[in-house]
Amino acid sequence: MSGKEFELGITYKQLGRIDDAIEQFQKAKRDDALMIPSTLQLALCFSMKPGMEFIAVRTLIHALGENRGSDEEKKEMQYILAGFYEESGKKKEALGLYNELGTAYEDVSLKIEACRQ
């Protein structure tokens, strides 16, 4: 059932029904195979709700702390978390994550430069 919940969450998110999407991703997250993708989507949904950006950050920090998922999934979570930090003015935290990512994403070097300014 979790796969259907994940897909429904994607649909709700695309329709702008963020609260409904969050509910579906929380359900889908119970499936080990969907834990990381659901967590990423939850963080993105929380970041879309004014005043909830800190929950997006905590969601990713918690997921990274569990040390689950593939290296690629962990890098994606780090990249998104770094972006959240950068947007909120926490350039030191963003810079640390971008440095860890190295060349994993082609725009990381530009983001590192931006954080150093």
Side-chain angles (χ1 to χ4, degrees):
M1 183 71 170
S2 297
K4 290 181 181 179
E5 291 161 339
F6 182 83
E7 293 302 321
L8 187 55
I10 295 289
T11 300
Y12 283 147
K13 184 177 152 211
Q14 291 171 339
L15 293 172
R17 294 175 55 182
I18 304 305
D19 290 331
D20 292 327
I22 288 171
E23 181 181 340
Q24 294 305 312
F25 291 131
Q26 286 173 330
K27 290 177 184 176
K29 192 174 142 179
R30 295 179 193 140
D31 181 340
D32 281 344
L34 293 171
M35 195 283 259
I36 299 297
S38 297
T39 298
L40 286 168
Q41 291 301 321
L42 275 169
L44 292 170
C45 286
F46 286 129
S47 75
M48 297 168 78
K49 292 181 63 78
M52 302 288 279
E53 296 86 356
F54 72 98
I55 295 177
V57 169
R58 286 194 320 194
T59 298
L60 290 176
I61 290 171
H62 178 75
L64 285 165
E66 289 186 0
N67 200 27
R68 295 175 62 180
S70 68
D71 287 344
E72 184 177 313
E73 289 171 324
K74 290 174 194 171
K75 286 178 182 180
E76 186 175 1
M77 285 191 288
Q78 285 181 302
Y79 183 80
I80 292 170
L81 180 57
F84 290 159
Y85 281 143
E86 187 178 3
E87 289 172 16
S88 67
K90 295 182 178 182
K91 291 186 177 187
K92 183 177 179 181
E93 290 88 344
L95 184 59
L97 288 170
Y98 286 138
N99 280 325
E100 283 182 41
L101 288 167
T103 59
Y105 294 88
E106 63 182 55
D107 65 342
V108 168
S109 60
L110 295 174
K111 291 183 174 288
I112 288 172
E113 277 184 46
C115 288
R116 287 184 176 154
Q117 295 177 2

